[in-house]
Amino acid sequence: MTTTKVSGSSRASSKAAQNSARSALGAPSQLSQSSRKGKRAWRKNIDIHVVEDGLESLRVEERVIGLTLQKQTDDQLFVVDTKGDEQVRRCLPRYSRSQLTATKILSQRSAVPAVISRATKPPQPKISRADKDRLLRIARRPRRGPFNAVMDPTEFGAGSAAIDVSHAVKASGGHDLWARSAEEIIADGLETVQKPNIKKPDLGHPRDMIDVPAVSVPHQGASYNPPVLAHQELLMEAYKAEQRRQEESAKLAAFRKKIEQARAFAANDVTEGVPGGMVVDEINEEEALTTVDMVVSTKRPARKTKQQRARMEKQRAERALAEKAARKRLLSSITMVKSLRSEAAKAAVARQQASLVRQLALRLKLRKGLAGQRLGKHRVPENEIEVQIGEDLSENLRSFKPEGNLFRDRFVSLQQRALIEPRVPVLPMKRKAKLKEYEKHAWKRFE
């Protein structure tokens, strides 16, 4: 009996061949042909990896393109390019001397400085003209002024260094309040604290939209010899303005009168021991006695009758039907989401348009100035209508008497153009507190 020995290398090679012959799809494989007897063994152990790979590639082409490449024509697969690609020139690297090999070799220099034959003096820092003048003033050295003249050191400000402007004055205007500052880093380096970035507010000023001339053209009826119609029109405007002023003053007087009457009524109706403005109801003695003697009786709830129970049952049924109808309406409104969304979009567009209309109206109103509008504590005054009646009109310029005040007109114009804030004249007031006189102790003892 003979025995055959199989080396370890032959076993490893056969095992590797068997592993490499396994299907890539993960199906069980039996390609190791232990015997070739019979057709069944040949069919069972046949290698079809190549066929499977080919079929899988065809399936991939069909999934990506829609058809296999074999079923497509040449026109679908190939294109004759007669124009060329315009992006090729942009993709190509541009010519640069820094990319040349010779330039790279020459640019390689040692970081060690070269050895010099003799020592050189370090460059002296340059002194500005202002610093030089300051040093000369401190040293009381003669300085040259205009036309090469020697300036007098005893002159005010010429021989003293303390009179010079400070560093804060020199650096004024260089600090930006809204600029972003540098990061503040803690010494240990574990945390980084960064100040918040404050955004500069972009608020428009009303004077940017006001289009009012500094000196307005007076009305034609204000001339010394005006036309009749223009003079009558200006008289009517002055009458309406005066009538409106009288109505406002009458309303204010009536309001003040009501306040005074209320104060007088409150002062007369004051009882002892009761703060002012408080009203105490009077208590009747009989009602007080009855309230004291009355005893509160606790009554037990009576048993409901059949009719009351039926009524309550009917109310519960009606509430249930109402809830069911409300739920049905809610469910039916789900199908109307698109229409509701379109209505909401239309309403938003309408609100935006209304806001734009209001902004446009405000801009148009501001173009005419701030006359008559309240700005801050006070109201911007309007222009006074300066007109003369027919009896005061002069026939020539020599006898013409000017109306108004140029300073007041200029001040009102500055307020209407939002150049200064509206103000009212502050009249001097008398001293309310009385002066107290004290006699010093030294003046009490006199001989």
Side-chain angles (χ1 to χ4, degrees), residues 303-316:
R303 188 174 182 179
K304 294 182 177 64
T305 61
K306 188 176 182 180
Q307 290 82 2
Q308 291 177 351
R309 288 196 294 270
R311 192 183 304 110
M312 293 177 64
E313 188 68 24
K314 184 179 179 181
Q315 291 176 357
R316 283 197 292 269

Side-chain angles (χ1 to χ4, degrees), residues 230-272:
H231 189 254
Q232 294 293 333
E233 182 181 357
L234 189 60
L235 283 174
M236 186 57 65
E237 290 181 3
Y239 169 73
K240 290 181 180 179
E242 186 64 26
Q243 186 179 10
R244 185 170 59 254
R245 192 180 295 111
Q246 292 292 336
E247 291 177 356
E248 291 177 358
S249 62
K251 289 181 181 179
L252 183 60
F255 183 70
R256 288 179 177 176
K257 187 177 180 181
K258 288 182 180 180
I259 292 176
E260 291 177 357
Q261 290 177 357
R263 287 179 179 175
F265 179 76
N268 295 330
D269 193 10
V270 174
T271 57
E272 296 181 358

Side-chain angles (χ1 to χ4, degrees), residues 264-437:
F265 179 76
N268 295 330
D269 193 10
V270 174
T271 57
E272 296 181 358
V274 179
M278 180 181 290
V279 179
V280 181
D281 296 337
E282 296 181 357
I283 301 175
N284 194 359
E285 296 180 357
E286 297 180 358
E287 293 180 357
L289 293 175
T290 54
T291 54
V292 170
D293 298 338
M294 190 171 62
V295 179
V296 179
S297 60
T298 57
K299 185 178 180 181
R300 298 181 62 183
R303 188 174 182 179
K304 294 182 177 64
T305 61
K306 188 176 182 180
Q307 290 82 2
Q308 291 177 351
R309 288 196 294 270
R311 192 183 304 110
M312 293 177 64
E313 188 68 24
K314 184 179 179 181
Q315 291 176 357
R316 283 197 292 269
E318 290 178 354
R319 283 198 298 269
L321 289 175
E323 292 177 358
K324 186 176 180 181
R327 192 181 301 107
K328 188 175 181 180
R329 286 195 300 271
L330 180 61
L331 293 176
S332 62
S333 64
I334 296 176
T335 58
M336 301 171 61
V337 172
K338 292 184 178 180
S339 61
L340 294 175
R341 187 183 302 166
S342 62
E343 291 178 1
K346 290 179 181 178
V349 171
R351 287 195 300 270
Q352 186 177 5
Q353 290 180 355
S355 177
L356 292 176
V357 169
R358 288 194 300 270
Q359 293 179 3
L360 181 59
L362 180 61
R363 288 178 177 272
L364 292 177
K365 187 178 180 181
L366 284 176
R367 286 178 63 88
K368 299 179 181 179
L370 299 176
Q373 299 184 20
R374 186 180 183 84
L375 189 64
K377 294 173 60 178
H378 308 292
R379 190 178 298 275
V380 179
E382 299 180 359
N383 293 326
E384 295 289 340
I385 300 176
E386 300 169 356
V387 61
Q388 295 180 349
I389 59 177
E391 299 176 356
D392 297 338
L393 289 175
S394 60
E395 298 179 358
N396 49 22
L397 281 173
R398 290 184 178 180
S399 59
F400 177 72
K401 296 180 180 179
E403 296 286 341
N405 189 349
L406 294 179
F407 178 79
R408 184 190 61 192
D409 295 344
R410 183 66 175 171
F411 190 72
V412 170
S413 176
L414 291 174
Q415 295 179 11
Q416 292 177 357
R417 289 181 291 143
L419 296 178
I420 59 175
E421 59 180 347
R423 294 292 187 90
V424 294
V426 180
L427 301 177
M429 299 177 64
K430 293 183 179 180
R431 188 182 183 91
K432 294 183 179 180
K434 295 182 179 180
L435 292 175
K436 292 184 179 180
E437 295 182 358

Side-chain angles (χ1 to χ4, degrees), residues 13-33 44-50 52-53:
S13 62
S14 62
K15 189 175 182 180
Q18 183 178 359
N19 292 336
S20 63
R22 289 179 180 178
S23 176
L25 301 177
S29 177
Q30 297 178 0
L31 301 181
S32 58
Q33 297 181 1
K44 184 177 182 181
N45 300 318
I46 192 170
D47 188 4
I48 60 172
H49 286 172
V50 180
E52 289 179 355
D53 293 342

Side-chain angles (χ1 to χ4, degrees), residues 75-238:
D75 297 338
Q76 297 176 350
L77 296 175
F78 303 100
V79 177
V80 180
D81 189 5
T82 59
K83 184 178 179 181
D85 192 0
E86 297 179 355
Q87 304 293 333
V88 173
R89 185 177 296 276
R90 300 180 181 179
C91 298
L92 292 176
R94 297 182 179 180
Y95 171 75
S96 176
R97 291 180 62 90
S98 62
Q99 300 298 329
L100 296 178
T101 306
T103 307
K104 292 180 180 179
I105 294 172
L106 294 174
S107 61
Q108 294 178 358
R109 290 290 182 267
S110 176
V112 180
V115 179
I116 55 177
S117 59
R118 57 182 179 179
T120 58
K121 294 182 179 181
Q124 297 293 336
K126 294 183 179 181
I127 301 176
S128 62
R129 186 176 182 85
D131 294 341
K132 187 176 181 181
D133 293 343
R134 184 176 60 83
L135 293 175
L136 289 175
R137 283 198 303 271
I138 295 173
R140 300 300 179 94
R141 299 288 297 276
R143 294 183 295 111
R144 299 288 179 177
F147 303 105
N148 202 17
V150 178
M151 299 180 64
D152 186 9
T154 60
E155 187 182 355
F156 177 75
S160 177
I163 300 178
D164 194 7
V165 294
S166 61
H167 177 71
V169 177
K170 292 180 180 179
S172 62
H175 175 66
D176 189 4
L177 180 62
W178 302 102
R180 188 172 182 178
S181 60
E183 296 181 355
E184 297 179 0
I185 302 176
I186 300 178
D188 55 2
L190 298 178
E191 297 180 2
T192 301
V193 179
Q194 185 176 357
K195 290 185 178 181
N197 187 13
I198 302 174
K199 186 177 180 182
K200 183 178 180 180
D202 187 10
L203 302 177
H205 201 276
R207 63 167 169 263
D208 299 334
M209 295 178 284
I210 295 175
D211 188 12
V212 177
V215 180
S216 59
V217 180
H219 195 270
Q220 189 178 5
S223 176
Y224 71 98
N225 190 13
V228 178
L229 295 178
H231 189 254
Q232 294 293 333
E233 182 181 357
L234 189 60
L235 283 174
M236 186 57 65
E237 290 181 3

